[in-house]
Amino acid sequence: MREIEIAPGVLMPMIGLGTAGLHGAGGGRAVLHALELGYRLIDTATAYGNEHEVGAALHSSGVEAFVTTKLRPEDAGREPSVLAASLRALGVDRLDLWLIHWPIGGGAGVPSWQALLAARDEGLVRAVGVSNYSPAQIDELVAATGEAPAVNQIPYSPSLHSPGLLAEFAARGVVVEGYSPLRRTALNHPALRAVAEAHGVPVSEVVIAWHLAHDVVAIPRSADGARQRSNLAAASLTLSPTDVKAIDAIAD
């Protein structure tokens, strides 16, 4: 599995499993199946209400995985206790990545960002970042603390492609992680179908491989074992520059 360095010595797999909506025994089985297939990035959040299920699946699998969870905006000011609860639920001593789930009160949430940095410095988290932040909001965090988020998790897909936005995050040293890459994509688009047919793979694999071609981490959510396998197979699909250009044009 291809990885990307998000902080010194911290490598993040570029395809992972999104777990929003995966609850109860069925949700736990879906996460466990993904781990057994070879997924090594699992993305959850306090707001998803499934950290216990994710933790149980991690324990049952017996494998080491890169685990991300997120701080709810309404938990601002309670960061240490929320992190402690997430660690207990997940059954781990340290998170790989902790994100602020949404801008807090419409602003950057500098106090919460300082709390995440403190947790990292205490060794409770390997890397910290944000989700759904604009470049301007990231600049506010940097201005206050001198440190940019390692990752910004945002909705991303061919229809949302913005080279300018990717360049802005790259200039700040921020890795982009795209959520809902398939839900936000018209899978019947002629450009996607043509590339998929040329490679003999499903369109979904093409979309995820396209994310990787732009150094965007992809975390599709699926409870279906066959779709999980297909999504992960995108790691072995190499798109040509012509393929990538054709898909880029969908957003034009």
Side-chain angles (χ1 to χ4, degrees):
M1 168 61 67
R2 181 180 163 194
E3 298 175 310
I4 189 167
E5 189 171 46
I6 63 170
V10 181
L11 297 176
M12 183 178 188
M14 291 200 69
I15 298 176
L17 180 73
T19 66
L22 299 182
H23 298 110
R29 284 194 298 271
V31 176
L32 178 59
H33 187 264
L35 291 165
E36 291 173 342
L37 284 175
Y39 281 80
R40 291 298 179 265
L41 165 61
I42 305 296
D43 179 88
T44 184
T46 298
Y48 298 167
N50 63 3
E51 289 176 325
H52 284 284
E53 289 94 326
V54 170
L58 289 166
H59 178 74
S60 296
S61 73
V63 302
E64 291 188 11
F66 188 107
V67 180
T68 302
T69 194
K70 309 179 195 74
L71 175 79
R72 300 181 302 180
E74 56 264 41
D75 288 328
R78 302 176 48 245
E79 292 84 2
S81 63
V82 170
L83 176 58
S86 289
L87 293 173
R88 286 194 302 272
L90 291 164
V92 297
D93 296 324
R94 180 176 65 170
L95 285 177
D96 294 292
L97 180 62
W98 196 23
L99 308 177
I100 299 174
H101 205 155
W102 289 90
I104 295 171
V110 169
S112 288
W113 179 237
Q114 292 169 327
L116 265 66
L117 292 173
R120 182 204 61 191
D121 293 345
E122 291 171 21
L124 298 173
V125 183
R126 296 177 68 208
V128 291
V130 295
S131 182
N132 301 297
Y133 270 55
S134 68
Q137 289 166 329
I138 288 175
D139 287 344
E140 188 176 338
L141 299 181
V142 174
T145 65
E147 293 203 47
V151 170
N152 186 19
Q153 187 182 114
I154 60 175
Y156 214 74
S157 71
S159 62
L160 298 175
H161 181 51
S162 170
L165 186 62
L166 292 184
E168 288 208 54
F169 290 131
R172 292 160 172 79
V174 178
V175 171
V176 174
E177 181 178 18
Y179 69 80
S180 300
L182 302 177
R183 284 183 56 212
R184 299 173 184 271
T185 301
L187 298 180
N188 62 348
H189 192 283
L192 292 172
R193 292 208 320 268
V195 174
E197 289 169 5
H199 288 274
V201 299
V203 169
S204 56
E205 286 186 35
V206 169
V207 172
I208 296 168
W210 172 84
H211 280 72
L212 272 55
H214 284 293
D215 290 328
V216 174
V217 177
I219 48 169
R221 185 201 75 89
S222 180
D224 181 85
R227 289 177 183 168
Q228 288 180 353
R229 185 184 298 276
S230 176
N231 292 342
L232 190 62
S236 301
L237 175 61
T238 300
L239 301 180
S240 71
T242 300
D243 292 335
V244 174
K245 185 176 180 180
I247 298 169
D248 289 354
I250 292 173
D252 291 344

